[in-house]
Structure formats: C-alpha cells, structure tokens
Amino acid sequence: MTQGRRSISDYASALTAKTDPAHSLFSRRAVWAAAAAVLVFAALLFTLPDVTNNPRPLAEYGEKTLFTAFGGRSPRTLDPQRSYSSDETAYTYSIYEPPYQYAYLKRPYELEPRTVEKVAEPKYFDKSGKELPADADPEAVAESRYVLKIRRGIFYAPHPAFAKDEKGAFRYHHLDADLAARVRSPFDLPEAGTRELTAADYANGIRRIASPQVVSPIYGTMSSRIVGFPDFKKRLDAKWRAMREAGASEETFFDLMAEPLEGVQVIDDHTLEIRIHGKDPQFAYWLAMTFFAPMPQEAERFYAQAGLRANNVSLDTWPVGTGAFRMQTFRENRLHVLERNPLYMHGFYPCTGEPDDEKKGLLKDCGKPLPLVDRVVFEVEKEAMPLQSKFLAGYYDSPFIDRVDTGLGYLVAMDDDPDKAALYGGRGLQFPKTVMAGLWYLGFNWLDPVVGGGSTPEEAERHRALRQAISIAVDWEENIAIFQKNQGMPAHGPIPPGLFGWRADGPEAFNPVVYEKHNQQVIRKPIERAKELLAKAGWPDGRNAQTGEPLVLFFDYQNAAQGSSAYLEWYQRQFKKLGIQLEIRATDYNRFQEKMSKGAAQIFFWGWNADYPDAENFLFLFYGPNGKVAHEGENAANYENPAFDQAFREMRLLEDGPQKAALIDRMVEILQQDAPILFGYFPPAAAAYQSWVENAKPSGLVQNALQYYDVDADLRLAKIREWNRPVLWPLAVLALGIGLLVWGALAVLARRQARRLRPLKSNGRSR
C-alpha cells in the first residue's frame, strides 16, 4: 500500500473524527491554534535579522571604517598650539602636520620628514655671527639655525574658511548674526575652499605659542629657546591689552604676523628659518609635535566670529589642517568622526622597519597611498562593561585606538581565567606589547603653604621632611600588585627604562630617601622612619606639634567619572599610616586640568608620556622656568631649585655621553632629596585590536598612527554575524507556551460547551 502526503487539514480531520460535537470543536480549534503558533515561529525564523544587537546599521561594518571609543568627555581642545593631553593626540596628529614625524615602523625611533623635503641639519654660529663646524664646542655655539624647505603641492582639506566668492573675497569671514547662530558645524555652510600650505602658515603657528589669546602650555619651554621670543611676547601682551581696553572681545582676530619675530623668518613661500639660542640637540624633536603645526590665518579669521564661538564652533572642536583626515562630525561627549581628507596626496605607507616586521605582515602595504581607511568613528563609552561587551562582539576594532595600555586588562584576565583565555584566543584578539616611555606619579604643589617649597629655609626643611615621610608611606609595590596586577615597575626617579640616563646601578634604580638595601635587596624603609620624618616636620602622629590639630591634606584625582572608589580609599589608607587625613577631591579630566593650570591643587595624581625619546623630556617637568602657574609650562608641581635648574641648562646642550649622564645623575639625586613628587611607577604597555585590524604597531611616541591602520571589513562583518547570531530557542519556547495557553483555554471552553449541549437525564415520570 502506498502512502501519500497529508496536509495539515487531513490531520485535523482525522484527529477530530469523533461523535462528540463539543470534543470535535475543541480538537479542531486546538490543532489550528498549535499550527498557527508553529507558523508564527517559522515566520519569525525567516524574517528575523541575522544580527539584532548591532549599535549601528550592520552595513557600516562592511565599509573601510575604523570603530573605536573614547571615555567620559570630548577632548578639551584640538587647537594644535594648546593641545597637550594624550586624549587629544589621535585627532590633532591625524589632522595637523608638523614638519617632522617619527618613522612608523622603525625602532629605535627615527625622525623623518612629513611636510618638508628633508630633516634639516642645524647650522651653528658664535656670538659674532661666524658659522661654526658641526662638532663645535657647545659652549661656543651662540645660535643654531634650522632652514625648513616646505614641500610643494600640499593642500588644506576643504573648509569654508577658504571659500571665496566670484570677486575673490572670502565668503564666510563676515557672517551675519542670524546665520552664525544657526551654524553647528563649519560644514553647515554650503561651500568650501582650499589653498596650498606655505611657510607663513608655520610661522603663524609658532607665533601662536606666545599669543596671550592662545595660552600655549609650552611657551615657558620655548621662551628660552627661540631667539627673540620673550620680547615678542611682551609686545603681543601689550598690544592685546590695548585691544581689549578698546573693546575687543576674546574672539577678536589677532594678527600675529604683523609683529616681527627675529627667531622665525619666512624666506619665501616654501622656506622657513628658525633660530634658537645655543646648541639644543632636543629641538628637532619639537618639530615633530603639533605645537609646530601650521595655522592658516584664514582659519583664525573664520573662527574669530562670536556667533560661531557661542555654538562651540572653533579650533577647539573643528581643526583645519593638511593631514590625512579631517573632522567630519563633532557631537560633544557623544560622537567624533574623522573622514579621509580628499586632498591628501603626499603620504605613503613605509617600506622599511624592524627586521621581523615583514614576517608580521607589517610591510605588505608598502608604498600604498595613505590613509588606508576612509573613516575613523569614536563613540563615547562611559562604563567599562559595555565597552568590553561591544569589543568582544566585534563592534569596536579597538577599545581605545589612541592608547597602548588597553590590552593589559585582557592579558591579566587570560592569565587568571582559562575560559577567558580560550574566548580571547578563539576570537583571534591581538594584544601586542610595546615599551612605554611614561611615568605615573603623585605630585605636591610647590606653591602650597603646607606641602610646598616653603618661604624660609627652616620651613623648607620641615616641608621636605613631610614630603619624604609620605614618600616612604605610600607603598607603590602594593599598588602595582593590587591595581596593576603586577603589570608595572616601581620608579626610583623620573626617567623610564630604555632612555639614556636610566641605569640599573645608577640613581634611577635606587632612591636612598625611600628605600634601603639589605643583603643586596632593595626594600622600602620601615614606616617608623617615615614617622620620625613626620615628627621632624612638626606633625608627630599626624597632629600639629603646637596646637594638636590633625593634619588634613587634599588630594585631587582626575578620574571621577570612572568610579575608582577602591583606588582612592587605598590612598587614604597609605596616608593614615602616618595619622594624616586625606580628603579626596575627584573631578573629570577637563576640570582637573583647569585646577592644575591655576595651582589650585595641593596633592595630585598625574602621568607623563614621552613626547620624544630623551631624558630631557622628563627632567623638564621639574625645570623652574617651565612652571605651570607662573610660566604656563608642564612643570605641574611648580617645583623650583636653582641647583637643578643650572644642571638642566647644562645637560640639555649635550649629546648622549658621560658628561650628560653625570648631570642626569645629579638632577635625579636632587629630586630624590626634595621629593616634589612621589615617583610612582613606570607603566607597561599592551594595546588591544581585533584580528581584522592590520598594520597595528603600538607606540607611545608615534601619534599619527591612524593613517597606517587598515581593516579587513569583509572579515569583520562575517565575524560580527558569527558572534552575534540571535538566540532563537526562547522564541520557540514562547511559541509553544502560547500554543499551550490557547489549548488550555479552548479545553475549558469545550468542557463548558459540552455541559450545555449534554441532554437532561429523565427521571421516568412525565408531566
């Protein structure tokens, strides 16, 4: 007997072939309800997207876009002459182009031309103006001159600041108030223009370092370097005061090129000469930093319009540069998008690097035009868990593309948890390590009346004893073990390993104020020694020796948004060892920077990453004329010591060698005794990338790395689909549950109907 195919209705007829009409009705309805539930589930199965948790349209992950995050708040400023914070560099170095850059793949780091024809060899001159040989005695060198030849054919990314009308006048330099009030982005204006990069743009950018309108953090450093800079600033200050008294606003355009500057000369449209005092081997490194980026006056005039500033449309948010990218979107504290500069034609992927770079696949894009991606998307992530979840789901190519420490937590987790090791390894996550030339430290404000330098020799000695006591009490080894998971190295001085001046048997490796040696082992001094110093400072057991009042100190911390309560409580416990009460004043980073610039902090926690590979870049953090309050520099502690300053001035003239090493040792020993900071620890470094991110070679010094990154967008999209498939069994359970509920409801109805239809029983009597 053959068996044919049966339809759902056939099964329904067979199942309901009973004589009880109520039962038949119930059965048919129940079967049809179950069939409907199955059909609904099938419809969901076929119509549901293959990924349902994607934070943006799935198609975007198939494009040449790099996705990453930023934490907490938007950068405080993207003005190249003002910006000096690590959370700003990914933008500023991608948009602006100083004359030099570091070779992306080479180690040790090597300067190479970026917008100039070659790295200039300085020429040396004595006091009479006579040129000296390259190997002249540094003491005989009165002046060094750098002649920069700007490459031709480099153009600014299209911007409304350059747009002109039919008569050649700038179209948007005089916006009416109503139009300016409606502008939220420069690109709200319909037209944009461009022009070629010139030497005058670099000259204007350098002048901005001295501008009272800009307030650059490196003016203190450059004032002693660039010939004529202090006098130039005095003239600018006087002129600006007169303009303000005459009614000029803070946004008024200030023509810096109208004032001559002896040390910065425009020879012709593509030739710039910079003159600096003496011999300064480190000055070339500054020419790779965005402080020396070009600034077209057209951009300054455009942004000088008060209506734009009111809408946060300024150089702080919308840079104007010649780099590989330009700012496409700036939504404060929400979203930043860099897009390819359509006029960028002068950058190419390198063809040389370290010996094993080819084996790692880092040379496969040799000679390709940059950038390799079309966009870089930065989205705000205020909490660690959502950030990690999106990274593991494939929606971020790197948690923070501009940081080289984000991989450390993943590496620690892999060591602690085999399941996470299997998960991260199975997804091919990359955590490349690098040497981080950086320092985290706890600093004292030298201007403070309690922990600072002191106003008399006696007071200075007492304050020094207090700082030394705290230096012993704060146990950085414990901090590294608990909070850094042993990923770090206690610092005995400010210079990190890998830089000239750090030696395993030198002062950098042993701080005799805080540590002592026992059987060749370096150990922290006992807390009893710290208490002796505290009593010497006039605070026995943490109380004023004369009044008995408790010593209360204030600690400004920069990461309030990330909720580091356990970390802050650890600091309080360290001070409590000495009976000192530590009050925490935690703020977001932007507010913290403002307090530091005003000298409003007493004790603070901060870090420093090298701008260039030289010990001078760490020692200048303590140079008196580089004080943050008095000189707007990067000496955050506002520390001053004449002996240190003199040694620093001598050291920075020298090439690496025995004489320079001796001066570095001397300065480190002065810092160890004065204790303007607790040296803290040298951080390790490991970045975090997805498997489809290509050409990633993390570095603490190469800041313009975004143009070199590439992504395999097809692989990313495939992995996102694989890792984020919808879980359908809950829908099946839901459909089954609905079917059972319907079945049960119909059963109740069927029983009720059966009772109504059942004939009454006869009692044998008729009426």
Side-chain angles (χ1 to χ4, degrees):
M1 184 175 64
T2 61
Q3 184 175 351
R5 297 175 61 186
R6 305 177 69 184
S7 68
I8 292 177
S9 59
D10 294 331
Y11 283 107
S13 299
L15 290 170
T16 57
K18 297 187 183 291
T19 57
D20 187 340
H23 186 277
S24 175
L25 177 64
F26 155 65
S27 299
R28 286 197 300 272
R29 287 179 177 176
V31 170
W32 282 110
V38 171
L39 289 174
V40 168
F41 176 69
L44 285 173
L45 182 64
F46 286 106
T47 62
L48 200 66
D50 53 354
V51 176
T52 58
N53 65 342
N54 43 305
R56 56 176 54 244
L58 195 62
E60 291 190 27
Y61 297 101
E63 300 171 352
K64 278 285 188 178
T65 301
L66 194 64
F67 294 97
T68 187
F70 68 96
R73 296 176 66 89
S74 292
R76 188 170 65 96
T77 178
L78 300 180
D79 185 322
Q81 276 75 44
R82 295 179 59 212
S83 172
Y84 209 5
S85 182
S86 59
D87 66 329
E88 298 159 357
T89 56
Y91 309 97
T92 55
Y93 280 84
S94 297
I95 295 171
Y96 290 108
E97 293 192 290
Y100 301 164
Q101 64 184 2
Y102 291 100
Y104 180 55
L105 299 177
K106 292 183 179 179
R107 306 291 186 273
Y109 294 103
E110 181 180 311
L111 285 175
E112 65 179 16
R114 186 167 181 180
T115 60
V116 294
E117 295 177 359
K118 64 179 181 178
V119 174
E121 291 291 338
K123 294 183 178 180
Y124 303 121
F125 298 84
D126 64 14
K127 292 180 180 179
S128 66
K130 178 184 176 181
E131 186 172 351
L132 300 172
D135 59 353
D137 183 349
E139 295 296 331
V141 177
E143 189 177 293
S144 303
R145 298 178 187 175
Y146 294 77
V147 176
L148 305 179
K149 291 285 189 179
I150 313 300
R151 292 167 59 182
R152 296 178 182 272
I154 297 177
F155 287 85
Y156 285 95
H159 192 279
F162 301 111
K164 294 183 179 181
D165 61 21
E166 297 78 9
K167 297 180 180 180
F170 288 105
R171 188 178 293 277
Y172 301 122
H173 284 196
H174 303 285
L175 297 173
D176 65 69
D178 290 340
L179 177 56
R182 296 195 301 271
V183 173
R184 296 294 185 273
S185 157
F187 303 108
D188 288 344
L189 300 170
E191 295 189 28
T194 187
R195 70 161 171 81
E196 190 176 17
L197 173 68
T198 67
D201 298 331
Y202 281 104
N204 187 52
I206 297 171
R207 280 170 165 78
R208 295 183 83 242
I209 296 171
S211 171
Q213 195 179 35
V214 175
V215 188
S216 174
I218 69 159
Y219 170 74
T221 302
M222 290 299 129
S223 63
S224 60
R225 281 182 158 101
I226 298 175
V227 173
F229 224 31
D231 289 339
F232 175 71
K233 181 168 177 57
K234 288 179 183 177
R235 296 196 305 274
L236 290 184
D237 290 347
K239 188 173 181 179
W240 181 244
R241 281 194 302 270
M243 290 174 62
R244 293 286 282 160
E245 290 170 0
S249 68
E250 291 184 3
E251 295 85 16
T252 300
F253 173 69
F254 191 13
D255 187 358
L256 303 176
M257 294 299 288
E259 284 293 323
L261 175 55
E262 185 182 0
V264 180
Q265 297 290 324
V266 177
I267 307 302
D268 58 43
D269 282 351
H270 293 87
T271 308
L272 181 74
E273 181 184 68
I274 304 175
R275 298 163 58 189
I276 64 170
H277 292 293
K279 183 179 181 180
D280 190 346
Q282 293 82 31
F283 183 74
Y285 295 126
W286 286 96
L287 297 178
M289 299 172 65
T290 53
F291 295 113
F292 285 83
M295 177 55 65
Q297 284 199 323
E298 295 94 328
E300 291 187 294
R301 289 182 183 274
F302 174 79
Y303 287 123
Q305 301 176 85
L308 297 181
R309 172 71 65 171
N311 292 334
N312 199 25
V313 177
S314 69
L315 286 169
D316 289 334
T317 50
W318 295 96
V320 182
T322 61
F325 294 97
R326 67 174 179 176
M327 185 69 72
Q328 178 198 58
T329 304
F330 191 102
R331 297 177 189 165
E332 191 168 9
N333 304 330
R334 292 169 56 197
L335 177 71
H336 311 138
V337 180
L338 298 179
E339 68 174 358
R340 176 191 296 272
N341 173 3
L343 301 180
Y344 186 76
M345 306 292 180
H346 55 280
F348 300 91
Y349 193 87
C351 294
T352 57
E354 292 187 281
D356 60 345
D357 280 347
E358 186 171 8
K359 185 188 302 181
K360 295 178 180 178
L362 291 171
L363 295 179
K364 66 179 181 59
D365 289 322
C366 163
K368 285 186 179 180
L370 300 175
L372 298 177
V373 296
D374 297 324
R375 295 193 310 158
V376 185
V377 175
F378 297 81
E379 293 188 272
V380 67
E381 289 291 349
K382 295 183 178 181
E383 302 294 336
M385 289 308 297
L387 173 64
Q388 185 183 61
S389 296
K390 290 178 184 177
F391 176 56
L392 293 177
Y395 296 124
Y396 285 133
D397 301 313
S398 175
F400 295 114
I401 199 73
D402 56 333
R403 290 174 51 177
V404 294
D405 61 350
T406 51
L408 294 173
Y410 293 92
L411 290 174
V412 170
M414 292 173 73
D415 287 340
D416 293 343
D417 188 340
D419 291 337
K420 289 185 176 179
L423 173 63
Y424 302 164
R427 298 202 168 180
L429 300 181
Q430 307 176 69
F431 305 111
K433 296 181 179 180
T434 186
V435 176
M436 187 70 178
L439 171 70
W440 284 102
Y441 65 91
L442 188 147
F444 300 100
N445 184 359
W446 209 249
L447 305 177
D448 185 79
V450 178
V451 300
S455 56
T456 67
E458 295 77 16
E459 190 175 72
E461 184 61 31
R462 291 197 303 272
H463 290 191
R464 182 184 299 112
L466 172 60
R467 294 190 301 272
Q468 290 180 350
I470 296 172
S471 298
I472 295 172
V474 178
D475 189 342
W476 291 107
E477 287 79 7
E478 181 180 278
N479 182 290
I480 293 169
I482 296 174
F483 299 105
Q484 317 306 324
K485 303 297 183 183
N486 291 312
Q487 300 289 316
M489 175 181 178
H492 290 245
I495 303 170
L499 296 188
F500 182 85
W502 189 92
R503 291 180 286 120
D505 58 349
E508 279 293 336
F510 178 60
N511 181 353
V513 173
V514 179
Y515 297 86
E516 57 190 12
K517 284 187 176 181
H518 281 290
N519 299 323
Q520 301 303 311
Q521 294 293 319
V522 176
I523 62 172
R524 184 172 291 273
K525 287 185 176 181
I527 196 66
E528 289 72 24
R529 175 55 181 153
K531 291 179 178 180
E532 292 173 7
L533 287 167
L534 189 65
K536 180 181 176 181
W539 300 96
D541 299 320
R543 292 186 173 272
N544 189 297
Q546 297 178 350
T547 67
E549 293 181 357
L551 175 58
V552 180
L553 299 179
F554 297 92
F555 178 41
D556 279 272
Y557 188 71
Q558 57 174 289
N559 256 352
Q562 297 184 10
S564 306
S565 58
Y567 195 55
L568 297 176
E569 289 170 2
W570 179 86
Y571 279 107
Q572 290 177 318
R573 290 197 301 273
Q574 304 307 299
F575 281 73
K576 192 174 181 179
K577 296 175 188 176
L578 300 174
I580 299 173
Q581 298 178 31
L582 188 68
E583 296 290 335
I584 306 295
R585 300 189 296 199
T587 60
D588 64 66
Y589 189 48
N590 290 353
R591 173 63 180 145
F592 174 79
Q593 290 183 90
E594 292 173 6
K595 294 175 73 172
M596 293 300 297
S597 67
K598 297 174 181 177
Q602 185 179 53
I603 301 174
F604 59 91
F605 182 71
W606 218 348
W608 183 259
N609 292 328
D611 294 312
Y612 46 86
D614 195 285
E616 188 261 0
N617 192 229
F618 285 87
L619 294 171
F620 92 134
L621 298 175
F622 309 97
Y623 183 50
N626 198 28
K628 184 166 285 291
V629 173
H631 306 285
E632 302 168 358
E634 287 304 315
N635 178 352
N638 300 295
Y639 171 69
E640 285 193 78
N641 183 307
F644 180 93
D645 291 349
Q646 179 57 36
F648 180 85
R649 284 189 288 267
E650 296 176 18
M651 181 273 303
R652 74 180 190 184
L653 300 177
L654 302 174
E655 305 286 351
D656 292 350
Q659 188 178 357
K660 182 176 179 178
L663 284 170
I664 290 173
D665 286 350
R666 181 182 172 191
M667 285 186 283
V668 171
E669 289 166 354
I670 292 172
L671 293 175
Q672 289 170 339
Q673 291 296 322
D674 279 351
I677 70 168
L678 277 62
F679 294 114
Y681 60 92
F682 301 122
Y689 308 106
Q690 296 285 0
S691 62
W692 53 77
V693 177
E694 300 173 354
N695 302 332
K697 188 171 184 176
S699 164
L701 284 176
V702 178
Q703 306 290 0
N704 60 329
L706 291 182
Q707 62 184 332
Y708 301 106
Y709 291 145
D710 198 2
V711 293
D712 185 337
D714 292 337
L715 176 60
R716 174 173 58 196
L717 191 57
K719 290 299 182 182
I720 285 175
R721 287 190 166 119
E722 177 186 340
W723 298 343
N724 299 277
R725 288 191 182 119
V727 179
L728 298 179
W729 65 263
L731 292 177
V733 171
L734 178 63
L736 179 61
I738 292 173
L740 291 174
L741 286 173
V742 173
W743 186 292
L746 291 175
V748 172
L749 291 173
R751 285 195 293 272
R752 289 178 179 176
Q753 186 172 1
R755 285 196 295 270
R756 288 198 300 269
L757 296 176
R758 187 177 300 130
L760 293 174
K761 292 182 179 180
S762 173
N763 57 10
R765 291 182 300 174
S766 62
R767 297 182 60 180

